[in-house]
Amino acid sequence: LTPRLTCLLAALLTCSAAFCARPGPFVFVHGLQGDDAPAVARDLGMNTLYLNLESEDLKDLSRVDAKVKSAQEAGLGVIVAIPTVPRSFSVVPSAGGATYREWVAALITRVVEHFRGNPAVVAWAMGDYLERHIDYNVEDFRRFLQTLYATPEEVGASWGRPIANWADADEPAARENDKQFVLGVGRALVDVADFHRQAFADVMSHWAETLRA
């Protein structure tokens, strides 16, 4: 481990064996860094290291091997956190975005294949704050509506406003429409909320399916 590495340490509270098939739950402790982090973690009674992969790590995964080995030598397992939520305008998490889905599938596959079979790696973690970065775009929203309604006219009947074509169905229209209702929430905003929930679930499901492949 290098001083640049920020470590999250996890204690396995209910797993009697050091690295059983389904360890957990994990309790994370933030803030330990540096070359002595594994030894400090061990001395604190921890048995797992949460390792966030940084951009430099992704360029050359072999540089991470030394960190995993250091943890293993200290008697720690390692959770490898794959940064599936990029901080980039060019690749934005999206339920239906082909660019993102291809990018994240390649990333997960490369990391998993590199560490597959390493006994020190006990679990995988995915990117955090997906809810802040996911792209709830209008194309995905209209595709979602088409799973609920056969025609734009059916959307309009449900929302309580005329909708002649799919181009008239978007989130701003839904929010404007529902101002007429008590608390500003009608069927249109329920559809928006359901879309957000489904899009979030679809992205995470794609992560899981790629991880299991």
Side-chain angles (χ1 to χ4, degrees):
L1 296 178
T2 68
R4 295 178 60 249
L5 176 67
T6 300
C7 301
L8 299 178
L9 302 171
L12 303 183
L13 300 182
T14 63
C15 185
S16 56
F19 308 119
C20 64
R22 295 182 65 84
F26 301 112
V27 177
F28 301 108
V29 179
H30 296 255
L32 292 180
Q33 304 181 49
D35 295 338
D36 62 344
V40 173
R42 179 195 59 213
D43 294 343
L44 288 173
M46 305 295 175
N47 65 357
T48 306
L49 180 79
Y50 187 108
L51 180 61
N52 272 317
L53 297 184
E54 302 175 359
S55 57
E56 292 302 313
D57 296 328
L58 297 176
K59 294 176 183 177
D60 181 10
L61 287 172
S62 64
R63 58 178 272 146
V64 186
D65 293 337
K67 302 174 186 178
V68 174
K69 183 178 180 181
S70 295
Q72 185 178 28
E73 289 174 346
L76 303 175
V78 178
I79 301 171
V80 175
I82 307 171
T84 52
V85 180
R87 306 299 192 263
S88 168
F89 290 111
S90 61
V91 183
V92 180
S94 167
T99 298
Y100 173 74
R101 290 174 69 87
E102 292 171 4
W103 174 87
V104 80
L107 171 65
I108 294 172
T109 300
R110 185 162 66 92
V111 173
V112 171
E113 287 184 350
H114 180 83
F115 292 106
R116 191 188 303 277
N118 189 320
V121 177
V122 298
W124 309 103
M126 298 292 114
D128 52 8
Y129 298 117
L130 173 60
E131 68 279 6
R132 297 184 184 178
H133 299 280
I134 189 170
D135 179 18
Y136 297 115
N137 61 76
V138 67
E139 290 82 8
D140 285 350
F141 181 49
R142 288 172 183 153
R143 277 193 290 267
F144 173 77
L145 289 177
Q146 289 168 21
T147 68
L148 303 178
Y149 306 101
T151 66
E153 289 77 13
E154 284 189 14
V155 178
S158 177
W159 288 11
R161 63 173 289 165
I163 295 182
N165 55 69
W166 291 111
D168 295 330
D170 55 29
E171 288 195 28
R175 297 183 189 283
E176 182 65 28
N177 180 76
D178 281 11
K179 289 179 180 179
Q180 63 183 299
F181 299 109
V182 176
L183 301 180
V185 178
R187 180 67 243 180
L189 282 184
V190 171
D191 285 346
V192 169
D194 285 345
F195 160 62
H196 285 199
R197 175 189 58 79
Q198 187 62 55
F200 190 95
D202 287 348
V203 171
M204 296 192 71
S205 293
H206 180 54
W207 295 349
E209 290 164 5
T210 304
L211 192 61
R212 290 193 296 263

